[in-house]
Amino acid sequence: MTADLSQLVKAYDVRGVVPDQWGEPLAELFGAAFVEVTGADAIVVGHDMRPTSPGLSGAFARGAAGRGADVTMIGLCSTDQLYYASGALDLPGAMFTASHNPAQYNGIKMCRAGAAPVGQDTGLADIRTLVEEWSSTGAPQPLTPGTVTERDTLTDYAAHLLSLVDLTAIRPLKVVVDAGNGMGGHTVPTVFTGLPVDLVPMYFELDGTFPNHEANPLDPKNITDLQARVVAEGADLGLAFDGDADRCFVVDERGEGVSPSAITALVAARELARNGGRGTVIHNLITSLSVPEVVREHGGTPVRTRVGHSFIKAEMAAHGAIFGGEHSAHYYFRDFWNADTGMLAALHVLAALGGGQAPLSTLVAQYDRYAASGEINSTVDDQPSRTAKVRAAFADREHITTDTLDGLTITSPHWWFNLRPSNTEPLLRLNVEAENEETMRAVRDEVLSLIRG
């Protein structure tokens, strides 16, 4: 019977509940289809700490080898460690993870050689078609199957990251790291080895059931333990990683969360300095206005794009950009094959903080210039009509500009907001930023009343 993958294959990855929606037989077919679509004669495969990940990744490897590809298994790794292996070995790769989703989920993030993304328009739709076809017929077998071998890349991954940031002369720092029982507990000890860092680990035990809290640091409730620990330890900062450790969230010495936009601006300034004050920096349209301002002030060229890693990576490649950042704490680096790595962004923060005497709150204040609402979701029955209602309400006001690059963005000299529909849920997502808190709240409340009224 042909499998229905409509709920399993997303825009950028494969993700669903195991075993209800998928399991090892489908994973094996995905491995075969991945090799067929990429035309690869060799691939690299890694997995996170979820209980189902070893079995699923092993099945994927069998399917890939069954189509004639030699498979290098790198075992437990973070997603950016898989991207490192794909880039350094110049091989297509597959990472088994469901990131921050609950324990019963698992998924596959796939890339071509050099960590180039595989999404709906770059091979994922073709992979889905083959898996659906072969779920009833079985994948055709080649005359010569490929091999499956194991290789450890953690040390080489750490060395590559440390070659991109000079941490040799920083002052000693006390750093609390909340790994959320995810892959940060695997990568941080190796990356931080030899650094002048007093590491205070939290939830480093690899446990895909997430016994302490969800491994999603963008949800405020999931960093409360870290915030309290930073203050209690008198630490210089805190770092929180998501489940597959490709995103990193930063907490200052007061226990206050640092906006990912401020981190984007800080890292952009450092990467521009490292490149002689020249270069393009990509940012999505709901990062703070401080990001393009800082980029220009440091000699760079900011490029604004839609929300989503496929858009960021496409613009990175098109412009030869040196860096890209998103509000969701994804950070992309030219010298990391345009892929995202929260760990490298974290090392930049350590270098910036350790290179001076000021506390982190003072350091980031220059990059955090506006009052922001954060993302506010509203459930609506008709996304287009509610959006049109908001657009009409602001249409006749003076000094207003409107664009529709991604949803609706309305900008005035003193504030801006973006209203985007969710692709998967009946939601509208609102982000507001203004020159002060009072103005931000007024704009936010007016728009929400239009959406929800």
Side-chain angles (χ1 to χ4, degrees):
M1 185 169 176
T2 303
D4 177 13
L5 304 185
S6 59
Q7 301 302 307
L8 190 63
V9 179
K10 312 297 185 182
Y12 313 121
D13 60 9
V14 175
R15 200 173 297 195
V17 176
V18 181
D20 298 4
Q21 292 180 290
W22 74 304
E24 292 181 20
L26 270 184
E28 188 167 338
L29 292 179
F30 272 108
F34 180 63
V35 168
E36 187 79 6
V37 170
T38 59
D41 55 14
I43 67 169
V44 60
V45 178
H47 66 80
D48 70 7
M49 66 293 143
R50 291 167 185 271
T52 57
S53 290
L56 291 171
S57 61
F60 186 96
R62 288 195 300 275
R67 294 299 296 138
D70 293 331
V71 182
T72 298
M73 302 288 285
I74 64 171
L76 279 167
C77 65
S78 61
T79 290
D80 64 326
Q81 188 184 334
L82 184 279
Y83 291 150
Y84 164 77
S86 172
L89 302 176
D90 198 28
L91 295 177
M95 173 69 187
F96 278 78
T97 180
S99 187
H100 61 275
N101 284 133
Q104 66 270 28
Y105 284 81
N106 215 321
I108 322 171
K109 295 180 178 180
M110 290 172 271
C111 60
R112 295 180 186 268
V118 170
Q120 281 292 337
D121 300 329
T122 51
L124 190 53
D126 299 324
I127 291 170
R128 170 184 167 174
T129 298
L130 281 180
V131 173
E132 287 176 335
E133 177 186 330
W134 291 345
S135 65
S136 57
T137 65
Q141 299 299 307
L143 293 175
T144 307
T147 61
V148 179
T149 58
E150 296 182 358
R151 177 170 179 161
D152 183 15
T153 61
L154 180 57
T155 303
D156 292 341
Y157 154 81
H160 179 69
L161 292 180
L162 292 167
S163 75
L164 300 175
V165 183
D166 184 4
L167 291 157
T168 55
I170 67 169
R171 62 183 168 93
L173 297 172
K174 189 171 190 178
V175 184
V176 183
V177 177
D178 182 348
N181 299 109
M183 293 312 304
H186 178 69
T187 57
V188 167
T190 299
V191 175
F192 280 32
T193 295
L195 298 181
V197 167
D198 178 6
L199 175 63
V200 180
M202 293 181 66
Y203 313 140
F204 271 38
E205 305 77 22
L206 301 183
D207 189 339
T209 66
F210 306 113
N212 294 291
H213 59 73
E214 289 179 0
N216 179 16
L218 278 190
D219 187 332
K221 71 175 183 291
N222 296 324
I223 64 165
T224 55
D225 291 357
L226 174 64
Q227 291 171 304
R229 189 70 177 273
V230 167
V231 173
E233 294 278 351
D236 293 289
L237 77 162
L239 303 172
F241 291 91
D242 67 345
D244 59 338
D246 61 349
R247 288 188 297 152
C248 181
F249 195 86
V250 180
V251 170
D252 71 19
E253 80 287 352
R254 306 168 304 172
E256 299 292 326
V258 180
S259 158
S261 285
I263 300 298
T264 296
L266 181 154
V267 177
R270 289 180 51 82
E271 283 289 272
L272 285 164
R274 188 166 159 262
N275 285 273
R278 293 183 303 277
T280 298
V281 174
I282 312 297
H283 65 99
N284 72 31
L285 52 70
I286 56 176
T287 53
S288 171
L289 280 180
S290 62
V291 173
E293 287 176 359
V294 168
V295 169
R296 291 189 188 98
E297 288 163 10
H298 287 79
T301 303
V303 172
R304 176 176 178 264
T305 188
R306 295 180 63 183
V307 175
H309 76 94
S310 65
F311 301 112
I312 293 274
K313 288 176 178 175
E315 294 292 334
M316 291 278 292
H319 292 274
I322 60 174
F323 175 65
E326 291 198 270
H327 72 296
S328 54
H330 281 286
Y331 305 105
Y332 307 79
F333 295 82
R334 180 194 62 196
D335 295 335
F336 200 77
W337 299 279
N338 289 340
D340 44 319
T341 165
M343 187 70 78
L344 184 50
L347 294 179
H348 272 287
V349 174
L350 294 181
L353 179 61
Q357 295 302 314
L360 185 58
S361 58
T362 302
L363 175 65
V364 299
Q366 62 188 303
Y367 304 115
D368 196 7
R369 305 172 176 180
Y370 300 98
S373 66
E375 191 154 273
I376 304 167
N377 291 325
S378 300
T379 302
V380 297
D381 52 4
D382 187 338
Q383 293 166 322
S385 70
R386 297 296 173 122
T387 302
K389 181 180 177 184
V390 172
R391 182 170 188 165
F394 286 87
D396 296 329
R397 304 190 192 187
E398 291 186 354
H399 310 301
I400 292 291
T401 60
T402 301
D403 76 68
T404 55
L405 173 64
D406 190 354
L408 173 68
T409 302
I410 294 181
T411 304
S412 90
H414 307 290
W415 51 261
W416 63 268
F417 70 81
N418 172 267
L419 189 63
R420 293 161 35 247
S422 166
N423 293 321
T424 57
E425 302 171 272
L427 300 175
L428 284 174
R429 308 188 190 281
L430 174 67
N431 283 269
V432 184
E433 186 175 73
E435 58 189 12
N436 57 59
E437 188 78 15
E438 183 181 6
T439 303
M440 183 278 291
R441 290 177 185 273
V443 175
R444 177 198 66 191
D445 294 347
E446 180 179 4
V447 178
L448 286 176
S449 70
L450 291 166
I451 296 169
R452 298 173 176 178

